[in-house]
Amino acid sequence: MNGHLEHFTLVLFGAASDLSSRKLLPSLYKLARWDQMPDRYNIIGLSRSPKDHEAFRADARESITSHVKASDVDEGQLDRFCRNLYYVPADLTEAEGYSRLRKTIESLVTDMPSCNNLLFYLATPPGLAPHIIDNLEQAGLGGRNQVCSSWRKIVVEKPYGFDLKTARELNAVVARVFNEDQIYRIDHYLGKEPVQNILIFRFSNGMFEPLWNRQFIEDVRITIAEDFGIRSRGAYYEKSGLLRDIIQNHGLQLLASVAMEPPVDLSADAVRDEKVKVFRSLRPITEANVREDVILGQYEGYRTEKDVAASSTVETYASIRWYIDNWRWKGVPFYMKAGKNLAKRVTEIVVTFKCPPQNFFGAPASCSYTSNQIVMQIQPDETIAIRFGAKRPGKDLITDPVYMKFDYKTSFDHELMSAYQRLLLDAMGGDQTNFIRQDAVESSWRVIDRIRDLISDPESYPVHSWGPELKQ
Ligand code: BG6
């Protein structure tokens, strides 16, 4: 049991969604399994289908056992967890379900029914958010309806709108009913342990940060590659495309973590202030440079995927050269490549350092062959490797690249928490550091909208290739 957390009720909108069954319920169970939940908590699932608490518990049990490792399933713990689950059938666009929700909440916490800590989680399609939020307010469950010293928070899943305009509209809806300090906009990349480690790697060590700038760094390459297609998400992808699905959020958040200045302290706002500054310093992509700095791609066969238009021009790949116009980074290219159906699944950040001023070792010691690199792999492995040149054994002075490697698996004895476990825990505990503030949402949409206005003709690329390359 986690003694730091107060008892609360989590209200899960979209309890039957893919996200709930694959990620949220298994993560909540794992938190309970490893004693990270408070002694009293309730989880109320809402979705359209009529079922009772017992049927919801059975469904949740099924989701959990199919998505967590068999060794993590402890029948006793699972029974106890499932006893905390409740279900309210509701059409989320209608007020009626919300009064049932309110009654259910009150019946669960009978000692001080109106002093319940409430965490609302929107695992629902974006179009439902305005209905949910209005109805919560009508039912007296909005953030500003809060009474006593209890708390109310809302977790909003991406996408936060589809562009700057709709992101602002969505925010206006949420912000009417919840204050910014009650709003948790989730980007699950920020819950990944190796992503959180970027801050530690950079700012808890004396030896990297002095070199972390335009004087010593040649370029930075961020790759988010997946070796599978859009799966069954044709309808969503047709509206979204990769720029909105991956670059606006995961890609730019990784870039901000690598490029930000040290925060003045570790408060949520200090860290997020520095990230927003990075977005605001991104050099605008313009008509003059878009063809040079951006390539979009679409994998062969995308147009025959289910729910995809036969003439679709939606991108499933993007390669972008960003520049950050500030004192630290001026002139250093940040290459970002992300795509579906690429050669392999890997997310990594490679920082390449400039060559020494003079190279007097024999071939093949060309600079790019041995240049110093820091390779932070986020997945599938969680590693950091440092590449440097070493003398090849033998009589000649020839340099070969070698690596020093840190691996989470071998250096630590802990099992890594999943991104959702970590972020749920942060939301319960009230830590917003790894959630996106509205100004970051807006500044990242601004740069993505600009690209989308300027380029919309993806090149076709073969499945399991590396996609079209930018000219270097
Ligand atoms: C989601 C995207 O946000 O992230 C998906 O909508 C993508 O298209 C997924 O596959 C990638 O997440 P992860 O954690 O598997 O890298």
Side-chain angles (χ1 to χ4, degrees):
M1 179 186 66
N2 185 332
H4 301 295
L5 287 181
E6 299 161 284
H7 67 89
F8 68 94
T9 297
L10 189 148
V11 179
L12 184 54
F13 293 99
S17 64
D18 187 55
L19 179 70
S20 297
S21 53
R22 276 190 320 113
K23 302 281 186 191
L24 301 177
L25 289 164
S27 299
L28 287 162
Y29 161 72
K30 282 187 80 177
L31 288 175
R33 167 85 177 85
W34 302 114
D35 292 335
Q36 302 283 339
M37 294 291 259
D39 59 338
R40 281 170 63 202
Y41 63 92
N42 306 299
I43 297 170
I44 305 177
L46 279 89
S47 76
R48 207 181 253 278
S49 40
K51 62 181 142 186
D52 59 13
H53 303 317
E54 280 312 323
F56 178 53
R57 288 172 188 152
D59 291 350
R61 177 179 273 277
E62 163 89 37
S63 308
I64 292 163
T65 48
S66 25
H67 292 103
V68 305
K69 283 202 310 262
S71 56
D72 282 340
V73 179
D74 172 297
E75 284 301 326
Q77 290 270 16
L78 188 52
D79 281 344
R80 276 194 292 286
F81 175 78
C82 287
R83 279 203 289 277
N84 294 317
L85 301 182
Y86 300 88
Y87 185 74
V88 175
D91 173 343
L92 297 179
T93 63
E94 299 288 338
E96 198 206 335
Y98 296 80
S99 50
R100 271 203 303 276
L101 169 64
R102 197 190 159 112
K103 285 200 195 99
T104 308
I105 294 171
E106 288 172 356
S107 70
L108 291 175
V109 185
T110 44
D111 38 357
M112 281 194 299
S114 51
C115 287
N116 230 314
N117 292 320
L118 294 175
L119 179 62
F120 300 106
Y121 199 117
L122 268 49
T124 44
L128 281 177
H131 296 283
I132 297 173
I133 288 165
D134 283 348
N135 280 308
L136 280 178
E137 192 192 22
Q138 297 295 322
L141 294 169
R144 306 225 174 82
N145 302 126
Q146 182 176 355
V147 282
C148 325
S149 56
S150 59
W151 49 253
R152 289 188 181 178
K153 301 169 194 163
I154 186 160
V155 181
V156 187
E157 268 290 339
K158 71 178 259 278
Y160 327 108
F162 276 91
D163 52 19
L164 178 60
K165 180 171 168 288
T166 48
R168 283 184 169 155
E169 286 164 6
L170 173 62
N171 190 54
V173 170
V174 187
R176 201 171 51 72
V177 176
F178 292 88
N179 298 325
E180 181 64 32
D181 65 3
Q182 297 174 308
I183 305 172
Y184 289 70
R185 298 177 196 84
I186 205 165
D187 177 333
H188 76 282
Y189 264 58
L190 296 185
K192 291 181 190 272
E193 198 70 62
V195 175
Q196 300 195 345
N197 188 41
I198 299 171
L199 195 74
I200 307 292
F201 180 80
R202 290 188 53 200
F203 302 127
S204 76
N205 295 298
M207 62 194 272
F208 305 118
E209 201 49 30
L211 307 179
W212 213 257
N213 57 54
R214 60 193 296 276
Q215 239 185 306
F216 299 99
I217 291 181
E218 181 71 27
D219 61 43
V220 177
R221 289 172 192 264
I222 299 174
T223 304
I224 306 178
E226 291 177 316
D227 57 1
F228 49 87
I230 53 161
R231 294 183 160 149
S232 54
R233 297 161 80 214
Y236 162 74
Y237 236 76
E238 281 288 276
K239 277 201 252 137
S240 162
L242 185 114
L243 286 170
R244 289 170 164 141
D245 185 41
I246 302 278
I247 305 282
Q248 184 267 342
N249 36 76
H250 312 325
L252 287 177
Q253 285 298 326
L254 291 184
L255 180 137
S257 305
V258 181
M260 65 190 262
E261 296 300 318
V264 290
D265 57 38
L266 284 183
S267 64
D269 275 334
V271 173
R272 298 187 301 174
D273 284 346
E274 296 309 328
K275 290 190 172 177
V276 172
K277 285 190 209 157
V278 174
F279 300 145
R280 290 175 53 202
S281 310
L282 283 173
R283 184 183 302 171
I285 302 278
T286 63
E287 215 166 336
N289 65 21
V290 66
R291 294 280 157 195
E292 216 171 287
D293 290 340
V294 181
I295 295 196
L296 303 182
Q298 184 188 79
Y299 64 79
E300 287 168 3
Y302 172 74
R303 293 176 182 185
T304 56
E305 299 271 22
K306 188 170 170 284
D307 299 326
V308 168
S311 57
S312 173
T313 55
V314 164
E315 78 288 352
T316 60
Y317 168 93
S319 179
I320 305 175
R321 179 171 23 225
W322 301 103
Y323 287 97
I324 301 170
D325 285 341
N326 64 16
W327 276 62
R328 185 190 283 262
W329 293 117
K330 184 89 182 179
V332 178
F334 281 70
Y335 295 96
M336 188 177 286
K337 178 198 269 276
K340 300 277 178 192
N341 257 335
L342 295 185
K344 67 175 188 183
R345 175 173 178 261
V346 63
T347 299
E348 68 180 14
I349 300 166
V350 179
V351 178
T352 301
F353 289 82
K354 291 189 172 164
C355 295
Q358 184 161 0
N359 170 18
F360 37 64
F361 300 108
S366 75
C367 175
S368 61
Y369 181 61
T370 53
S371 56
N372 295 143
Q373 287 186 332
I374 295 180
V375 182
M376 303 188 213
Q377 189 164 122
I378 316 287
Q379 55 196 29
D381 295 326
E382 289 103 357
T383 55
I384 298 180
I386 298 184
R387 183 171 92 163
F388 57 100
K391 181 184 167 300
R392 183 187 295 175
K395 79 175 178 38
D396 297 323
L397 280 181
I398 293 180
T399 319
D400 273 334
V402 292
Y403 290 88
M404 285 193 296
K405 199 163 180 180
F406 152 70
D407 187 336
Y408 263 97
K409 278 194 205 74
T410 48
S411 296
F412 291 106
D413 218 5
H414 303 65
E415 199 196 330
L416 300 190
M417 270 197 216
S418 74
Y420 275 100
Q421 254 175 285
R422 173 60 206 254
L423 293 174
L424 280 161
L425 200 55
D426 285 354
M428 292 168 194
D431 182 353
Q432 288 186 303
T433 312
N434 289 308
F435 293 84
I436 319 290
R437 214 169 52 189
Q438 179 61 15
D439 52 352
V441 172
E442 294 192 11
S443 45
S444 52
W445 273 125
R446 216 168 268 124
V447 293
I448 296 300
D449 284 358
R450 202 177 289 126
I451 297 178
R452 295 193 65 263
D453 287 347
L454 292 169
I455 183 167
S456 58
D457 50 347
E459 286 178 27
S460 172
Y461 62 93
V463 165
H464 297 152
S465 67
W466 277 114
E469 296 289 348
L470 286 174
K471 286 199 191 68
Q472 299 286 309

